[in-house]
Amino acid sequence: AGVAAVAEAFVAVGWGLAVVVLLRAVQIAGAGLGWWCVFPRGSANLLAACINVRFVREAINTLLPVAQVGGEIVGARLMTFHGVPGGLAGASVLVDMLLQVATHLAFALVGVALLVLLGKSAALLTAIMIGVAAMAIGLSGFFAMQRFGGFKWIDRGLLKLARISGWSALADVANLHDQLERIHADLPRMAAASVVHLAVWFIGTLEVYVALHLMGYPVSLEEALVIESLGQAVRAAAFLVPGAYGIQEGGFIAVCAVFAIPAPAALALSLVKRVPEFVLGLPYLAIWHAYEGHALL
């Protein structure tokens, strides 16, 4: 796309990079709050742990080659260091993932609706709707597994492996299905977690709004929301690609083109949104190392 043009647009953001990092920190902390909401009543002491471990999850998913889901596995393990039983820790992460995807789908639909109201690119809209439909089907399957016993076979497998290997820690994880039922039964907390997660997705809109304004492309909040929601939808579809490198960039170029934002600026926008991944992610990879080191000692 032209290194000089991309670099010029990136540098133009200047102090806005600090704002983007701050907004991302608020977004991840908010996701940690949403995760804490799914824990049963009486878990008030876990709020700080949920926020801290949520930063670790994000760092692993964005910076390591783990198909953007390895952070969830590590997150469940780290919560056991805070005294959470293995089954509850695993169930809380699975429910948290479900709510993140569900609210992400809702956020994407808001972006699609705004794209229609703004009268933009019918061809792009068709492609997006196909992707949203596929996302909805996958979400329905994930929900059905959680609600209708799909994880019972995991319980049985863990118990069998615990007996064969003598690893008692696996037996502690083996009530995963029961903990999922317990969490899903608390509808007020599920609703609260959903509201928090949905609000968190909208924070990313401000990152786009600030960055493009400083680059000299003063988009409206509605246009920024379309770019953020559909750009994130493209990234989610590429979850098997570590960090969605290249995929996120192509997505932003395609969506920004609808609003006459040239490819170099769109590519610079994607790179701006990568900055918090490194600024916040690298320290939290070190914190993960400290967690594991302390457990080993």
Side-chain angles (χ1 to χ4, degrees):
V3 174
V6 173
E8 182 180 356
F10 182 86
V11 170
V13 178
W15 58 267
L17 288 173
V19 176
V20 170
V21 170
L22 178 61
L23 288 170
R24 185 68 57 84
V26 172
Q27 192 174 36
I28 298 172
L33 173 62
W35 181 19
W36 171 76
C37 286
V38 307
F39 278 90
R41 287 178 172 81
S43 303
N45 60 320
L46 293 177
L47 177 56
C50 285
I51 292 175
N52 195 42
V53 175
R54 187 64 184 76
F55 275 92
V56 175
R57 285 170 55 185
E58 189 73 14
I60 293 170
N61 285 343
T62 55
L63 297 181
L64 299 183
V66 291
Q68 299 186 55
V69 293
E72 278 58 54
I73 298 170
V74 172
R77 169 175 164 77
L78 295 186
M79 289 306 291
T80 65
F81 296 173
H82 291 277
V84 178
L88 177 57
S92 73
V93 168
L94 287 170
V95 174
D96 186 58
M97 289 174 65
L98 174 69
L99 295 180
Q100 283 187 89
V101 176
T103 53
H104 192 183
L105 177 60
F107 183 51
L109 289 173
V110 171
V112 170
L114 283 175
L115 192 64
V116 172
L117 290 174
L118 293 171
K120 301 293 182 179
S121 186
L124 180 62
L125 183 61
T126 301
I128 290 168
M129 288 307 298
I130 292 172
V132 167
M135 189 177 179
I137 293 170
L139 177 63
S140 300
F142 191 37
F143 174 75
M145 280 192 70
Q146 289 195 20
R147 291 296 289 127
F148 304 113
F151 283 90
K152 284 183 177 178
W153 65 272
I154 297 179
D155 284 358
R156 291 194 293 268
L158 289 173
L159 284 171
K160 183 177 180 180
L161 188 57
R163 286 194 298 268
I164 294 172
S165 65
W167 192 12
S168 60
L170 286 174
D172 187 41
V173 183
N175 64 342
L176 187 62
H177 171 74
D178 292 338
Q179 294 292 354
L180 282 170
E181 290 289 308
R182 180 186 179 191
I183 292 173
H184 279 287
D186 195 339
L187 295 181
R189 294 188 75 83
M190 289 283 287
S194 299
V195 170
V196 172
H197 276 302
L198 185 58
V200 161
W201 285 115
F202 283 89
I203 295 174
T205 300
L206 298 177
E207 294 181 18
V208 173
Y209 182 81
V210 169
L212 287 177
H213 269 257
L214 292 173
M215 287 182 199
Y217 299 96
V219 294
S220 66
L221 279 172
E222 291 82 2
E223 291 169 339
L225 194 153
V226 171
I227 293 169
E228 171 67 7
S229 64
L230 302 186
Q232 288 297 335
V234 170
R235 181 184 175 112
F239 72 94
L240 289 176
V241 179
Y245 289 113
I247 309 298
Q248 172 178 294
E249 284 68 31
F252 274 115
I253 289 172
V255 178
C256 285
V258 174
F259 300 104
I261 298 171
L267 187 53
L269 171 63
S270 182
L271 295 178
V272 165
K273 290 180 72 65
R274 296 267 184 207
V275 170
E277 296 177 5
F278 290 92
V279 173
L280 300 173
L282 290 174
Y284 273 93
L285 287 182
I287 289 172
W288 174 33
H289 175 74
Y291 264 115
E292 297 290 354
H294 179 75
L296 182 63
L297 290 173

